[in-house]
Amino acid sequence: MKLKRTIHQVFAIAKTDFLGITRNKTAIFFTLLFPLFFLIIIGFTFGTQGTGETSRIHVGTVNFDGEMIVVNNTDSQNSTIGDDFVQALKDANFTVYEYSTYGDKDTNGTAAYDISRGQIKIAIVIPANFTEALSYQYTDSLGTPIPTKASLDLYTDPSDPTGSLIAQQSVFGFIFGFIDHYQSIVIGQLPESFRDYAKVLADPVTVSTSEADVSGRQLRWIDYMVPGTLGLVLLWSGLNHASVAIADERAKGTFQRMIIAPVSSITVLAGKFVSCLAIVYLSAVIMLATGVLLFQVNLYWNIPAIVLTVFLGALSAIGLGLVISSLAKNVQAADAITHLITVPLQFFIGAFFPLSIMPEPAQIFGEALPFTKLVYAMQGIMTKNLPFEAVIPEILYMTISGLILFTLGIIAYRLSLKRL
Amino acid sequence: MNLNDIEVKSVTRRFEDTVAVDNVSMNVARGELFGLLGPNGAGKSTLTKMLCGMINPTSGTIKVGGYNIQDHPMKVKELLGVVPQDIVLYDYMNARENLAFFGKLYGLSGGKLRNRIEELLIFTQLDEKAVKRRISTYSGGMKRRINIAAALLHEPQVILLDEPTAGLDPKNKLALWEIIRTLNKEGKTIMLTTHMMDEAEELCNQVAIMDKGKIIALGSPRQLTKKVKMENTITILPDKITSKLMEATQKISGVKSSYRAYDESEKIETLKIITERAEDILPDLVSAISSVGTKILSVELSRVTLEDVFISLTGRSLREEEEQV
Ligand SMILES: Nc1ncnc2c1ncn2[C@@H]1O[C@H](COP(=O)(O)OP(=O)(O)O)[C@@H](O)[C@H]1O
Ligand SMILES: [Mg+2]
């Protein structure tokens, strides 16, 4: 009976708090839409780049393979492998522009001209002897093949280092794949006894990513970013809301009015917690749905693991918010402190940019944040399809951090009751 | 009748270096309409907050409905309906949603809650259209009424109202007084705080006057005004004021002094007579004035008010305090 009454009270408080957000345009923006705004802006700017999304990479080819050259004192005009190469590029979904000459930046219709105009990010020049070299047509007078390398020339756009780098890496990936494929054909033609040596010789180090590149299965930035935005959700929907939830009601006097009703202060806290959680989950759903609908992210949906991970992360966010909410002098102060924390912190949790590109102190700081652990765990589960066991270290870290921060939150809250 | 719904014994509350409530003791009997009258900063709100368990006394004991608030806070909270000094409602919800929320805090639900809400909406005379709009669109008077209704959902035996009519226009003030009287007639024990002497005088049957954290007088308004030996003022508007007139009035026995006063707002000169027995000397005064050939256009007798009681006890007026704050 008493428990039922308490539960009714908790939900009444949670519902009222929740309506306070959903009926207030500013609150909707900051607690629900702000992370979304980030996802969309950054998602559209960088998100769909990545070695896998090859169709966005505009590649120019200048295929001289079909030109007449002299091999072993005879004219040769074989373009088989060069043509295969270009065809494979197209098959790998690159957007391919074909040119008859590399040219220069002032001559319309040449590869160089299109690079300078940003039409293509990279040009591949295939030499005239491409097929001849790869098919061992160079021989000495006795007919023994002379090993001759086929050399490709790549030209990139220096005015767009990032775009060029991405294009270059994708093309490298493709070339490795192509070489791999070629090697296995050649090795297949060797006498049985040589094959195993040749395989090792050809591939002393196997680089498995190259294969993924060609297949177009490699993950895009956005595939990491969408689960990563759940870290933003914790900051903007969890921390941000929790930090004003109590300060705001204390300023309006509604908190005091709840306390003078036969409602224990812990019941009020529970109501606030339920509402904060509801907002976090609502925001998470909005974020993931946007990722799926707008950016077609392909994620793995281990729902119980996602729900649990977000819950543990929310403990830290809400706990920290409670500390701020309870100790801040007023709502404005609580709001200011929260923004001071949230705005810089969002760049350290690996949501937009991998921590590895940051300077070392920043990495150490970022790694220590429970929100970063959430980002890692979510990327592991949703993007990489790791089993739950693989993210146990992150889960443990978040659990401990959540318990500590939430306990601090409760202590701060209890202290604040003395200042009514 | 000896049953006290509120018992306050030697209660003190300090905030850092201010003593907001200073060793206060007082009782409110069941069914009483009790007024705590005092200027701003007297400690009325602090005492109210301690009564409802929002803050704890530094020392002393408080009982509500016979329960010690320290030992049985939840029991006391069930018994009390508290109307805070400021409007404390969720302005993004409408009247019904607000009442439903506060009702649920008091453990009401379902049909019972709905019935109570409808009863109180009728009681507070809010029309159906207004009920559906958010509180933020309400007038001050409407907000005040919902603010009170929110404290009544669980039918409390004891109702605390902290400055219930502050900031209201006379019409809304009278309407609220009527609501408070009705609740009292229904048998509720009511304690309200106010800094307006007319409110204490006309509404309450027991009044405690509070100043600087202390209760300096306690009793019915009649008892309180009687206690104070007051000089009354008779204000006379004659057709002309002459020195002969002044001499004549000063000769009457019982007149302490008389003087000419210029009334700024009316732009007229009046004759003021200071006396301890206004009613007794009035006939002599009238004949003395006519004997010097002056006509009386109007006579005004000032009554002893709780304001006068406060002034006689503290040397300051309730109003002055308010303006300083
Ligand atoms: N939370 C508080 N902290 C410090 N001083 C306070 C606090 N609340 C009230 N006071 C002080 O206590 C005194 C009484 O205030 P209050 O009870 O609000 O008076 P009233 O309601 O009669 O106007 C005032 O001097 C006020 O400044
Ligand atoms: Mg007050």
Side-chain angles (χ1 to χ4, degrees), chain A residues 51 54 57 59 61 81-94 96 124 126 130 152 154 166-182 209-216 218:
Chain A
T51 44
T54 46
I57 299 171
V59 178
T61 55
I81 300 179
D83 292 345
D84 281 354
F85 183 89
V86 174
Q87 188 54 46
L89 264 179
K90 291 175 183 164
D91 291 347
N93 247 332
F94 286 96
V96 178
I124 308 171
I126 303 167
F130 196 62
L152 293 172
L154 300 189
I166 290 167
Q168 192 182 326
Q169 294 216 310
S170 308
V171 169
F172 277 163
F174 170 81
I175 292 171
F176 286 136
F178 187 84
I179 291 170
D180 217 35
H181 178 67
Y182 169 78
T209 52
S210 56
E211 210 164 312
D213 281 358
V214 176
S215 71
Q218 198 176 3

Side-chain angles (χ1 to χ4, degrees), chain A residues 5 8-9 12-13 15-17 19-20 23 249 252-254 256-264 420, chain B residues 52 54-55 74 77-78 82-84 87-90 92-93 97 101-102 104-107 134 147 150-151:
Chain A
R5 181 177 169 161
H8 272 293
Q9 290 170 337
I13 293 166
K15 182 183 160 194
T16 297
D17 186 80
L19 285 179
R23 288 188 180 176
E249 293 225 32
K252 287 188 190 138
T254 44
Q256 290 84 332
R257 197 163 191 171
M258 281 195 262
I259 292 294
I260 58 178
V263 178
S264 79
L420 289 178
Chain B
C52 62
M54 197 201 295
I55 60 175
M74 288 299 165
K77 288 172 181 188
E78 302 269 0
V82 185
V83 183
I87 307 240
V88 176
L89 296 167
Y90 293 94
Y92 53 83
M93 301 200 296
E97 287 169 326
F101 173 72
F102 289 108
K104 283 178 195 167
L105 291 188
Y106 284 91
R134 291 185 186 182
N147 200 38

Side-chain angles (χ1 to χ4, degrees), chain A residues 35-246:
Chain A
L36 184 67
F37 181 70
F38 260 107
L39 173 65
I40 291 174
I41 294 288
I42 301 205
F44 271 124
T45 319
F46 305 106
T48 47
Q49 290 184 356
T51 44
E53 185 72 352
T54 46
S55 67
R56 286 189 169 250
I57 299 171
H58 291 205
V59 178
T61 55
V62 187
N63 189 359
F64 292 125
D65 200 19
E67 287 190 1
M68 186 84 72
I69 46 148
V70 178
V71 175
N72 305 332
N73 300 318
T74 39
D75 287 347
S76 172
Q77 196 186 2
N78 196 339
S79 67
T80 320
I81 300 179
D83 292 345
D84 281 354
F85 183 89
V86 174
Q87 188 54 46
L89 264 179
K90 291 175 183 164
D91 291 347
N93 247 332
F94 286 96
T95 302
V96 178
Y97 296 78
E98 296 180 62
Y99 303 89
S100 54
T101 170
Y102 178 70
D104 58 68
K105 69 175 171 47
D106 300 320
T107 314
N108 198 347
T110 66
Y113 180 90
D114 278 358
I115 286 183
S116 72
R117 300 297 189 277
Q119 176 72 26
I120 55 173
K121 282 284 160 251
I122 189 165
I124 308 171
V125 178
I126 303 167
N129 68 350
F130 196 62
T131 302
E132 288 78 2
L134 290 177
S135 55
Y136 299 96
Q137 290 182 24
Y138 289 92
T139 54
D140 60 18
S141 52
L142 299 172
T144 318
I146 302 168
T148 310
K149 282 198 177 188
S151 64
L152 293 172
D153 289 326
L154 300 189
Y155 295 90
T156 56
D157 174 5
S159 69
D160 175 11
T162 328
S164 296
L165 195 69
I166 290 167
Q168 192 182 326
Q169 294 216 310
S170 308
V171 169
F172 277 163
F174 170 81
I175 292 171
F176 286 136
F178 187 84
I179 291 170
D180 217 35
H181 178 67
Y182 169 78
Q183 282 167 347
S184 54
I185 293 172
V186 173
I187 290 168
Q189 291 167 355
L190 291 174
E192 195 83 41
S193 52
F194 287 116
R195 280 185 204 167
D196 287 342
Y197 294 106
K199 267 183 203 159
V200 174
L201 219 54
D203 266 331
V205 179
T206 2
V207 185
S208 49
T209 52
S210 56
E211 210 164 312
D213 281 358
V214 176
S215 71
R217 278 195 291 116
Q218 198 176 3
L219 295 159
R220 300 167 303 163
W221 197 335
I222 191 84
D223 296 316
Y224 283 96
M225 210 154 93
V226 169
T229 52
L230 295 183
L232 291 189
V233 164
L234 289 188
L235 290 177
W236 284 103
S237 309
L239 174 63
N240 200 43
H241 180 56
S243 73
V244 290
I246 286 164

Side-chain angles (χ1 to χ4, degrees), chain B residues 44-200:
Chain B
K44 307 181 299 290
S45 292
T46 306
L47 185 56
T48 311
K49 284 176 189 171
M50 288 191 284
L51 281 171
C52 62
M54 197 201 295
I55 60 175
N56 291 328
T58 311
S59 63
T61 52
I62 295 173
K63 282 185 186 171
V64 175
Y67 294 102
N68 187 321
I69 192 164
Q70 302 276 31
D71 304 334
H72 305 281
M74 288 299 165
K75 276 256 163 55
V76 168
K77 288 172 181 188
E78 302 269 0
L79 284 173
L80 280 176
V82 185
V83 183
Q85 178 167 355
D86 303 311
I87 307 240
V88 176
L89 296 167
Y90 293 94
D91 56 10
Y92 53 83
M93 301 200 296
N94 65 33
R96 224 182 235 112
E97 287 169 326
N98 267 284
L99 293 180
F101 173 72
F102 289 108
K104 283 178 195 167
L105 291 188
Y106 284 91
L108 299 179
S109 61
K112 193 167 172 217
L113 176 60
R114 276 195 297 278
N115 289 341
R116 269 310 276 162
I117 292 173
E118 295 319 311
E119 278 171 34
L120 283 167
L121 288 176
I122 293 166
F123 180 62
T124 51
Q125 302 181 342
L126 238 72
D127 62 276
E128 190 57 30
K129 256 193 235 154
V131 164
K132 287 183 183 145
R133 282 187 280 125
R134 291 185 186 182
I135 296 282
S136 52
T137 65
Y138 287 19
S139 71
M142 284 158 73
K143 284 183 187 171
R144 284 261 168 223
R145 279 182 267 163
I146 295 297
N147 200 38
I148 291 180
L152 303 179
L153 287 148
H154 61 298
E155 304 185 70
Q157 170 54 36
V158 185
I159 301 168
L160 304 180
L161 301 106
D162 197 2
E163 310 244 4
T165 59
L168 284 189
D169 59 52
K171 187 170 152 262
N172 275 305
K173 185 161 108 179
L174 289 177
L176 250 176
W177 283 4
E178 224 19 72
I179 288 178
I180 293 168
R181 279 195 191 106
T182 311
L183 288 167
N184 186 235
K185 276 184 202 133
E186 287 171 5
K188 311 282 187 200
T189 306
I190 295 178
M191 179 179 139
L192 60 85
T193 75
T194 180
H195 66 269
M196 287 175 286
M197 61 89 188
D198 61 330
E199 188 157 279

Side-chain angles (χ1 to χ4, degrees), chain B residues 242-286:
Chain B
T242 59
S243 51
K244 253 165 76 190
L245 173 66
M246 300 304 294
E247 273 169 38
T249 52
Q250 270 152 12
K251 274 188 209 143
I252 301 164
S253 77
V255 170
K256 280 189 139 181
S257 67
S258 69
Y259 59 91
R260 303 156 78 134
Y262 187 71
D263 186 324
E264 279 292 337
S265 56
E266 304 271 326
K267 306 261 181 261
I268 46 169
E269 203 174 21
T270 59
L271 175 63
K272 297 234 181 213
I273 316 282
I274 308 295
T275 171
E276 281 182 5
R277 301 174 290 118
E279 286 91 347
D280 300 348
I281 65 157
L282 205 54
D284 294 346
L285 190 62
V286 173

